Amino acid sequence: MAWRERRFLSWLVLVLLLSALIPGCGSAAPPGDGDEPAVQEDAGLPACDLPPNGELCIHFIDVGQGDCILVLLPSGQTMLVDAGDNGLGPTVVQYLKEQGVTRVDYLVATHPHADHIGGMPDVIKFFDIGEVYMPRTTHTTQTYERLLLAIREKGLRITEASAGVVLFDLPDLRAVFVAPVSSGYDNLNDWSAVLRIEYGDTAFVLAGDAEAKSEEEMVSSGVKLTANVLKVGHHGSRTSTTLGFLTAVSPEIAVISVGAGNNYGHPAPETLSRLASAGAKVYRTDLHGTVKVVSDGHSVLVQTEKGAASIETGPLPCCSP
Ligand SMILES: [Zn+2]
């Protein structure tokens, strides 16, 4: 417990220092009354950019109705999972630039729906790109064609994203696709490339828009799914986050990337209640803005752009001493 408190204190000190030093780096959190820093509400986002300080930092970027997840790896490499809807490209590019990103080492298009790949051609044009991962499926939209064209024009190769494909496997740092498990889905969402990232004792599952069928396959495959943080599938739709999958992941923190007042009724009340019953604390980009999750390999800290307190969790239950 003392370690966690020290860790949290040093984090807040860093945030306050950087806020004071860097113009436009978010408003400094008001000082607490006592020696112990209180949990800060609406404290602005902490510095969590490159070069990394031994931490893995995941930004669930608020792109309205859609997904866009930036992963800054402790190795100094970067990953982008999806890039928001059509028209969001410049916003995403600007956000990445502000974090000090010049190259995206791993670019993942979870599946070909516009709210995931619409902004991706701009990202490909602007940044150096390493590996591009996509599931083996297609779509007939102009949005999808624009993505393929941007990939071709940059001379990039597409690597198939499917269960068991390892992106990297370093000591204490590993990323592997856990879905799609099979091929030939009726529902394009079930083609979603689902990623599990492990850093030290902590883990993260980014579920794309995977729905019940894919979730069932992931659970049946027996692959390790436990995670501190789950990026909830399909914007919190009721057809995702089934009980079996939720039990297998058993997240302490759930992040829902969703647009305010969207036409789909996301997130569904049933899904929110399943998450609550599972004991997961929910963060939503429509309510909290961009959500950042930071891991030092032992514990996880969540910070939100607006309206929520910071919380910290310990290692995965499986890995506790
Ligand atoms: Zn979607």
Side-chain angles (χ1 to χ4, degrees):
M1 196 59 197
W3 182 88
R4 285 193 206 164
E5 282 165 6
R6 273 204 310 281
R7 198 58 221 151
F8 193 38
L9 178 60
S10 59
W11 177 263
L12 281 172
V13 168
L14 181 67
V15 171
L16 291 170
L17 271 175
L18 285 167
S19 298
L21 290 172
I22 304 170
C25 183
S27 55
D33 294 325
D35 293 338
E36 278 298 310
V39 171
Q40 301 292 337
E41 296 243 347
D42 199 11
L45 292 172
C48 188
D49 49 15
L50 295 171
N53 189 23
E55 281 151 345
L56 179 141
C57 191
I58 304 183
H59 300 228
F60 299 91
I61 304 169
D62 179 12
V63 289
Q65 183 71 9
D67 272 17
C68 183
I69 304 160
L70 172 66
V71 186
L72 303 177
L73 297 162
S75 60
Q77 292 193 304
T78 64
M79 178 190 298
L80 188 72
V81 181
D82 294 332
D85 211 332
N86 285 313
L88 268 293
T91 306
V92 174
V93 167
Q94 182 60 28
Y95 188 92
L96 266 58
K97 278 167 64 182
E98 284 167 8
Q99 313 310 312
V101 173
T102 55
R103 173 181 164 86
V104 176
D105 295 285
Y106 305 94
L107 182 64
V108 179
T110 59
H111 65 297
H113 278 150
D115 58 320
H116 296 252
I117 61 162
M120 206 167 269
D122 287 318
V123 171
I124 291 170
K125 280 172 200 153
F126 192 86
F127 296 101
D128 282 341
I129 305 288
E131 303 287 325
V132 179
Y133 291 91
M134 295 169 71
R136 187 176 287 278
T137 185
T138 58
H139 207 20
T140 53
T141 58
Q142 286 187 352
T143 300
Y144 185 63
E145 284 172 12
R146 267 198 300 275
L147 173 58
L148 294 183
L149 189 65
I151 290 170
R152 196 179 318 138
E153 282 178 350
K154 194 99 173 194
L156 299 168
R157 223 167 38 88
I158 299 172
T159 304
E160 181 181 351
S162 62
V165 171
V166 175
L167 289 86
F168 47 83
D169 190 1
L170 306 165
D172 286 332
L173 183 64
R174 173 180 159 85
V176 61
F177 288 111
V178 291
V181 172
S182 58
S183 53
Y185 299 98
D186 296 335
N187 182 346
L188 199 53
N189 287 335
D190 279 327
W191 274 103
S192 286
V194 177
L195 195 58
R196 183 173 183 275
I197 303 171
E198 255 180 26
Y199 179 41
D201 299 332
T202 62
F204 311 85
V205 167
L206 310 179
D209 275 0
E211 299 198 48
K213 181 171 172 52
S214 173
E215 290 183 352
E216 202 182 299
E217 287 180 347
M218 281 186 267
V219 173
S220 306
S221 76
V223 71
K224 198 172 182 183
L225 291 170
T226 44
N228 300 86
V229 180
L230 169 67
K231 198 297 292 181
V232 172
H234 198 202
H235 321 287
S237 129
R238 65 180 176 79
T239 46
S240 297
T241 323
T242 50
L243 196 56
F245 182 69
L246 194 49
T247 306
V249 179
S250 52
E252 298 149 284
I253 293 160
V255 180
I256 301 179
S257 191
V258 67
N262 66 80
N263 296 327
Y264 308 97
H266 295 158
E270 303 95 302
T271 302
L272 292 176
S273 100
R274 282 197 292 276
L275 287 164
S277 303
K281 174 138 174 78
V282 174
Y283 292 88
R284 299 165 46 167
T285 58
D286 59 337
L287 302 179
H288 301 126
T290 292
V291 177
K292 285 185 184 179
V293 170
V294 188
S295 166
D296 63 358
H298 301 290
S299 58
V300 174
L301 176 70
V302 179
Q303 290 249 337
T304 61
E305 186 179 15
K306 55 190 182 194
S310 306
I311 68 159
E312 188 182 21
T313 80
L316 287 173
C318 68
C319 310
S320 295

